[in-house]
Amino acid sequence: MIKTRTNLIKNIALTIAIIITGKVIAIIYPIKVDDYLFRYVGYLLAQGNELYHDVWDIKPPGIFYANFIYENYFSFPVLASTILELLIKISGIYPIYIISRKYILCSNKTAMLVLLFYAVLSSSSLFNKGGNYTETYVMILGLWSVYLLLLNNVSTIFLAGILISISTLFKLNGITVLISYYIYLIIMILIQSYRCNLIKIASITLGFLIPWVCIYFSFGFSRFYETIYVTFAYPVMYSVSSFHGYSAYIKNLLLTASISLVFFSCYIGCFFIAVRTMINKSRLTYIIFLCGWVVGDLLGVLLGVRLYDHYFILITASLPIALSLCITYFKFSKVTMLFVNRLVRYTLILILIVPTLGYIRLLGDASENNYWEKMTEITEYINENKHERDEIWINEYTPFMLYEIKLKSTSKYMSPINFYDFEYVQNNIQSKVLSDLTSNKPRWIVDRKYDRDGRESSFDLKLREVLRANYEDVYIGRNYIIYELNGTTY
């Protein structure tokens, strides 16, 4: 007993050490583009601007208000968000261990392997380049809501509904836990009593609705409508518009699957475990819910279509649970079990080391450094010449500049390029941007340089007319031109 407890403490310490090391490596990586966008909007909210009224983006409000807290209450917001993200990942250790040991009934050795798997997935630079991802918040809120649902009383189910609702305010994928639980309860109604399960449905639904009611009364109808749109409608439209045929999607999927055979074998295994549990009518019926959750998490990632690396942060908690389920419920022989353990450990080594080597190589990449240098020269010029009352607009999706300059964007649509996913939204927003630039006339406009082959959109040509009529170019950089409003004086 003492030896087991000692091994557990050592394993938890190793798990925490791996997570911390991974986060330190991630800090070295240049902050990603979306990260700067979240921080810039958080900064604007801290200055008293209203989300979806004074500043607008295609993402739900959760990540922006998280960054509002960092920008408003901490002197070093980047450090604050880094520490919180580290604590978020460490907090996942407890529910993963308890779910594995108490509910899946796996051995202590398997539980330790699962924790190690979680630590590597949480820290690998394969998924975690930089930080401040919406997916990190969704992952941890989903994991804790699953733990609360497994406690199986009305109050914890109600609380789980609240956590699930909050997770959807970061990204729609958070709703997979709710859908999986609904499906599980419907199955239970069919094979058990319906009254108890109907109470559970009512509890989790009520919990889910409460944050949305609070948003309605805080935001008002128009901003509440925008929140509904960017949370539920836009992600669906984004996935549909990103789909470029089955061949391209399958190619992406195969590349993703090649990361590790362990990934997809675990999910296939969970599907069969759920089916077997239903057929055998096992008393451990919550296994159906767990299997539904881990498979649903993966489907949520795959429906993202583009399959960006950071999408897979969403499964850094559910995949270790899938591994625990498969090792526990498939009765492997000792030889097979030894092979599985080695396969998992070798996979963990590859996931941890290979991307890190690529990570280090990228830090010395001249093209990557040149990309940041081009934007830095623009921010330095404006910061030397700006006034705090100035406004700016940039004809490029470069939130790095906006955050470093820290001037309000004249149009709440910070860049039309960020809305190119479907034509109606693109044209509608671009016309509003032109109207804002014509009526408000910011002191600074940063525009891209263009090739001499005449490839400019109708928006670019109309913007050029606005610049010719009211602005002069004051700085020409390697990729951008800074225009200043004529006759600006203070």
Side-chain angles (χ1 to χ4, degrees), residues 189-217:
I189 287 172
L190 294 176
I191 64 177
Q192 292 181 352
S193 66
Y194 67 90
R195 183 177 177 182
C196 178
N197 292 302
L198 286 176
I199 293 172
K200 293 176 184 178
I201 290 175
S203 297
I204 195 170
T205 303
L206 181 61
F208 183 83
L209 290 175
I210 282 179
W212 286 97
V213 172
C214 294
I215 288 173
Y216 178 80
F217 286 108

Side-chain angles (χ1 to χ4, degrees), residues 267-405:
Y267 287 107
I268 293 168
C270 282
F271 174 78
F272 285 109
I273 291 170
V275 172
R276 190 177 72 178
T277 304
M278 283 188 288
I279 292 173
N280 295 339
K281 295 184 179 180
S282 168
R283 65 184 181 82
L284 302 177
T285 53
Y286 52 78
I287 295 298
I288 300 171
F289 164 56
L290 284 174
C291 292
W293 167 53
V294 298
V295 173
D297 250 14
L298 178 65
L299 289 176
V301 172
L302 298 183
L303 289 174
V305 178
R306 294 191 182 185
L307 300 178
Y308 292 129
D309 292 347
H310 61 272
Y311 286 4
F312 289 86
I313 294 174
L314 293 163
I315 61 172
T316 54
S318 57
L319 181 57
I321 296 298
L323 178 66
S324 179
L325 283 162
C326 289
I327 291 177
T328 303
Y329 284 87
F330 287 106
K331 306 300 181 183
F332 296 120
S333 65
K334 288 186 177 180
V335 175
T336 306
M337 193 62 209
L338 182 64
F339 169 77
V340 169
N341 266 282
R342 286 180 177 175
L343 176 63
V344 172
R345 291 180 186 277
Y346 289 145
T347 301
L348 294 182
I349 292 171
L350 289 173
I351 292 173
L352 195 60
I353 294 177
V354 173
T356 303
L357 296 176
Y359 207 41
I360 295 169
R361 183 191 63 79
L362 186 62
L363 293 175
D365 190 336
S367 61
E368 180 76 12
N369 293 330
N370 190 38
Y371 170 75
W372 293 103
E373 288 171 5
K374 290 172 183 176
M375 292 189 290
T376 300
E377 64 178 349
I378 301 298
T379 61
E380 287 177 349
Y381 178 88
I382 295 179
N383 280 332
E384 288 172 2
N385 297 278
K386 71 181 182 181
H387 188 277
E388 62 180 10
R389 296 202 306 269
D390 289 347
E391 292 187 358
I392 192 171
W393 193 78
I394 301 176
N395 188 28
E396 181 70 283
Y397 183 52
T398 52
F400 166 80
M401 292 190 201
L402 290 169
Y403 183 68
E404 292 298 320
I405 295 169

Side-chain angles (χ1 to χ4, degrees), residues 54-83:
D54 302 308
V55 56
W56 196 94
D57 192 68
I58 55 178
K59 294 179 176 61
I63 191 66
F64 300 124
Y65 279 100
N67 281 274
F68 158 75
I69 293 171
Y70 305 142
E71 294 289 335
N72 198 47
Y73 296 106
F74 295 94
S75 301
F76 303 97
V78 175
L79 178 61
S81 66
T82 300
I83 292 173

Side-chain angles (χ1 to χ4, degrees), residues 229 237 419 422-429:
Y229 171 75
M237 298 165 72
F419 312 106
F422 27 91
E423 190 173 350
Y424 168 74
V425 173
Q426 173 190 335
N427 293 338
N428 188 36
I429 286 177

Side-chain angles (χ1 to χ4, degrees), residues 11 53 142 299:
N11 202 68
H53 181 270
L299 289 176

